[in-house]
């Protein structure tokens, strides 16, 4: 299994409703892309203060590296990914992606 973690610096102009709509679009990918086992999202709740401005994020659990690779090029993911990038402060610089083998 692969845990695909995405940490975001969302634009300060995003409302709570905007954030929820973005996360809803991310969660909806589970219904259209094979191999997604779970998707969790939310704000960083660590008390350490080491977030570096990445205060929102989500994690996708894939059944295999191949399922993750399918997700990366899937047209629905590409569309949602463009929406994520346009929602971050600094575009791609507003994202941190980290994958772990489980």
């Amino acid at each position: 299994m692969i845990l695909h973690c995405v940490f975001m610096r969302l634009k300060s102009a995003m409302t709570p409703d905007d954030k929820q709509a973005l996360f809803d679009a991310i969660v909806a990918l589970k219904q259209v892309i094979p191999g997604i086992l779970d998707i969790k999202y939310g704000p960083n709740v660590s008390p350490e203060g080491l977030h570096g401005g990445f205060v929102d994020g989500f994690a996708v659990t894939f059944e295999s590296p191949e399922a993750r690779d399918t997700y990366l090029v899937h047209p629905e993911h590409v569309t949602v990914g463009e929406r994520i990038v346009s929602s971050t402060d600094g575009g791609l610089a507003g994202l941190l992606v980290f994958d772990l083998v489980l």
Side-chain angles (χ1 to χ4, degrees), residues 6-97:
V6 180
F7 307 111
M8 303 177 290
R9 283 190 223 144
L10 294 174
K11 292 178 180 176
S12 59
M14 286 193 77
T15 67
D17 287 343
D18 293 336
K19 283 185 186 182
Q20 188 59 54
L22 180 61
F23 287 124
D24 289 346
I26 294 165
V27 169
L29 294 173
K30 185 174 188 276
Q31 304 306 315
V32 295
I33 301 176
I36 295 176
L37 301 176
D38 192 31
I39 300 176
K40 302 285 189 208
Y41 65 89
N44 181 344
V45 296
S46 172
E48 296 177 289
L50 300 174
H51 53 73
F54 295 94
V55 297
D56 292 284
F58 63 95
V60 182
T61 305
F62 293 99
E63 64 186 21
S64 67
E66 294 80 15
R68 185 260 333 262
D69 295 348
T70 296
Y71 158 89
L72 292 176
V73 296
H74 192 283
E76 293 291 327
H77 168 257
V78 171
T79 298
V80 172
E82 289 170 354
R83 185 171 169 189
I84 291 168
V85 170
S86 70
S87 298
T88 62
D89 188 17
L92 288 176
L95 292 172
L96 175 67
V97 178

